[in-house]
Amino acid sequence: MNRENKNINEEANYSVGLSRIAVSETHGEDSPYFDGWKAYDENPYHELKNPLGVIQMGLAENQVSFDLVEEYMEQHSKTVNCGRNDSNFRENALFQDYHGLLSFRKGMASFMEETRGGRAKFKAERIVLTAGSTAANELLTFILANPGDSLLVPTPYYPGFDRDLSWRTGVKIIPVHCNSSNNFKITPQALESAYNKAKSMNIKVKGLLITNPSNPLGMTICRATLEEILDFATRKNIHLISDEIYSGSTFSSSEFVSIAEVLESQDYKEAERVHIVYSLSKDLGLPDFRIGTIYSYNDKVVTTARKMSSFTLISSQTQQFLASMLSDKSFTTNYVRINRERLKQRYQMMVNGLRNIGIECLEGNAGLFCWINLNSILKEATREYESEVWRLILEEVKLNVCPGSSCHCCEVGWFRVCFANMSEQTLVVALERMHGFMKRRNIRRNDSCMLS
């Protein structure tokens, strides 16, 4: 036996051990949510080059107003390029502390106020910068909870939370089950039930995380419900994280109420337990710029988050460019207004197209997606048949959508379908494909009824 074969055999007999995180299955990558992405990556749709490919409707990305950002970049090319002749080149190239550029933090505070219609105020000194909202949510979880503790999260929720909140932190997610009888509204009863379930399992609850507007529902949380949620967190003496990354993607600014507004109306009495997560990935359509923020009313959380943010910094060049953009009031006001109008128009196009083929959607007022009900085409109301329909849509119809099971929805038959990450022409193709799928399903059903 030669040395090479001997080494191969020895490696087959044992392997070097890895950490618990490395071998953990809590990342969630084996879910349909990620499987659909892989299928798209292997066979992406292109109008000319690959018209039979998979259309990506599982990615919540905002491309409807990207032309406005591109126009700004063209008009401010010197700021964007930040080349060697730029007077700030040396400053941006050398080390910056993890507080980030003050000009950028001021710009972020200003834009957060803009997306909330000016009804909430934010201070630059309370903004902690992170490389996207994924890092912000994980960083907050590290700060607020210990391994083995838990966070309450209302369902259905963003599939990535399994990774963001649990994978590396060791913190458990306790689902707060909401249902369609009241349009998946978060109720005091549902919160109490989830809290008591954790208590019965001897799991300490350290916080409650909400998304407002909701991903995947595409709905905002009303002020009365937010007040109930804050009251619940106060009574249980736990933290409240409000993920508001779609706050500028509501179809009207008046339809969104930030937890910051509720705190202000109550003279910030319980503010120290409240933390807001925001990013520019959705509202401004810049996901790969990796811009996230934590805004906390708790001094200790701000200090600790700033220390930990050294693991998830944003480049100074990116900060400088965006500081200029976010501080340009004429640009941000115009962008937010047009973006809301375009998202509403695209949403209506999606909803009307689906209703024309017999598919109902939860009535939404925000976000980049629809929450659609395909329960009527399931053979039985089970996860197995929901998975079967998802796979048919992916493999035969060539549409990547996200099944409710990936969002931990307690009811079967719901799917999240994104509409803002493609052109209108591609959306028309997607709706035509869905129409053909529903037509074939109805023909099969009628044939089955005739045979029986």
Side-chain angles (χ1 to χ4, degrees):
M1 180 183 294
N2 62 39
R3 182 175 297 177
E4 183 178 353
N5 289 335
K6 181 180 178 181
N7 289 340
I8 292 173
N9 289 335
E10 286 179 352
E11 289 176 4
N13 291 331
Y14 70 92
S15 60
V16 179
L18 302 177
S19 71
R20 290 180 181 178
I21 291 176
V23 299
S24 169
E25 296 182 357
T26 58
H27 181 280
E29 193 176 19
D30 58 348
S31 74
Y33 174 71
F34 288 104
D35 287 344
W37 279 38
K38 294 171 187 174
Y40 168 78
D41 288 341
E42 293 169 0
N43 184 27
Y45 170 84
H46 188 278
E47 184 179 357
L48 300 176
K49 297 178 181 179
N50 191 21
L52 299 180
V54 176
I55 296 177
Q56 175 64 289
M57 306 188 84
L59 175 62
E61 186 176 70
N62 183 7
Q63 296 184 24
V64 300
S65 300
F66 205 71
D67 61 304
L68 301 179
V69 177
E70 290 178 316
E71 182 181 342
Y72 179 90
M73 293 173 70
E74 290 174 3
Q75 294 174 353
H76 301 80
S77 58
K78 183 179 179 181
T79 306
V80 176
N81 291 333
C82 194
R84 187 179 176 187
N85 295 326
D86 192 289
S87 61
N88 292 318
F89 174 75
R90 175 179 289 272
E91 180 182 350
N92 288 323
L94 299 179
F95 179 77
Q96 299 285 339
D97 71 31
Y98 43 61
H99 289 73
L101 301 181
L102 178 59
S103 60
F104 176 60
R105 286 185 284 124
K106 286 182 176 179
M108 280 296 292
S110 175
F111 191 67
M112 289 172 69
E113 292 175 0
E114 180 76 45
T115 59
R116 290 156 179 78
R119 297 183 302 274
K121 300 299 179 184
F122 298 98
K123 300 177 180 179
E125 58 265 28
R126 289 202 170 275
I127 286 180
V128 179
L129 303 178
T130 64
S133 60
T134 291
N137 278 313
E138 185 189 54
L139 194 153
L140 267 177
T141 305
F142 270 121
I143 295 172
L144 306 182
N146 294 310
D149 292 341
S150 68
L151 295 177
L152 303 181
V153 183
T155 67
Y157 62 74
Y158 163 56
F161 279 160
D162 294 320
R163 170 201 62 202
D164 302 353
L165 307 179
S166 294
W167 182 40
R168 299 198 300 181
T169 66
V171 172
K172 303 177 186 297
I173 293 177
I174 302 296
V176 179
H177 290 300
C178 307
N179 57 66
S180 61
S181 64
N182 63 355
N183 292 329
F184 298 96
K185 180 183 176 181
I186 304 169
T187 65
Q189 294 79 10
L191 292 170
E192 286 287 349
S193 178
Y195 184 88
N196 291 334
K197 181 178 180 181
K199 192 174 179 180
S200 70
M201 296 187 293
N202 293 318
I203 299 174
K204 183 180 292 187
V205 176
K206 297 301 292 288
L208 164 65
L209 185 149
I210 60 173
T211 56
N212 181 31
S214 167
N215 174 8
L217 300 178
M219 293 175 58
T220 55
I221 303 176
C222 69
R223 180 182 289 271
T225 300
L226 286 173
E227 291 172 347
E228 290 175 343
I229 289 170
L230 181 57
D231 178 65
F232 172 82
T234 302
R235 286 188 291 104
K236 301 302 183 183
N237 193 27
I238 61 177
H239 293 273
L240 173 60
I241 303 172
S242 183
D243 186 327
E244 301 183 357
I245 66 172
Y246 292 97
S247 57
S249 298
T250 53
F251 305 150
S252 169
S253 65
S254 61
E255 295 184 83
F256 174 70
V257 178
S258 170
I259 193 65
E261 296 176 54
V262 176
L263 288 176
E264 185 174 346
S265 69
Q266 298 181 3
D267 296 323
Y268 299 98
K269 289 180 181 178
E270 293 298 330
E272 69 173 5
R273 71 178 71 254
V274 177
H275 324 281
I276 296 173
V277 169
Y278 187 63
S279 85
L280 300 182
S281 297
K282 310 303 180 182
D283 292 346
L284 207 55
L286 301 174
D288 261 14
F289 272 46
R290 308 312 303 151
I291 303 294
T293 66
I294 293 170
Y295 190 92
S296 177
Y297 296 89
N298 187 308
D299 292 342
K300 184 62 175 176
V301 170
V302 171
T303 300
T304 307
R306 194 157 280 149
K307 292 175 183 176
M308 295 180 69
S309 70
S310 59
F311 296 100
T312 173
L313 298 177
I314 304 166
S315 75
S316 295
Q317 183 174 349
T318 301
Q319 290 184 55
Q320 186 199 29
F321 162 55
L322 290 175
S324 174
M325 177 187 286
L326 298 180
S327 299
D328 188 331
K329 197 70 174 177
S330 62
F331 168 77
T332 57
T333 301
N334 186 59
Y335 176 90
V336 171
R337 177 183 60 81
I338 295 176
N339 185 56
R340 292 189 196 280
E341 293 172 355
R342 290 180 178 180
L343 285 175
K344 184 176 182 179
Q345 182 181 21
R346 185 66 67 87
Y347 170 81
Q348 290 296 341
M349 177 182 175
M350 181 76 171
V351 170
N352 293 337
L354 291 172
R355 284 177 177 165
N356 287 339
I357 58 178
I359 298 175
E360 288 300 317
C361 310
L362 188 73
E363 185 174 352
N365 62 359
L368 317 176
F369 29 71
C370 296
W371 187 240
I372 71 172
N373 189 352
L374 295 181
N375 187 271
S376 63
I377 67 173
L378 301 185
K379 293 179 182 177
E380 295 178 19
T382 65
R383 289 291 180 208
E384 289 72 22
Y385 283 112
E386 178 185 274
S387 179
E388 178 185 291
V389 168
W390 166 77
R391 192 160 294 282
L392 283 172
I393 294 174
L394 179 63
E395 296 178 354
E396 294 186 14
V397 190
K398 302 296 183 185
L399 300 178
N400 175 36
V401 301
C402 179
S405 60
S406 290
C407 304
H408 299 269
C409 185
C410 64
E411 299 179 11
V412 300
W414 292 91
F415 293 76
R416 189 193 73 168
V417 184
C418 300
F419 55 74
N421 62 323
M422 64 192 76
S423 66
E424 285 193 8
Q425 293 84 352
T426 300
L427 183 56
V428 168
V429 174
L431 289 170
E432 289 174 348
R433 290 185 183 184
M434 202 64 188
H435 179 267
F437 171 71
M438 293 297 290
K439 187 175 181 179
R440 292 191 296 273
R441 297 289 292 188
N442 289 333
I443 290 174
R444 290 172 188 168
R445 184 187 303 166
N446 292 336
D447 290 345
S448 177
C449 291
M450 291 178 65
L451 290 173
S452 62

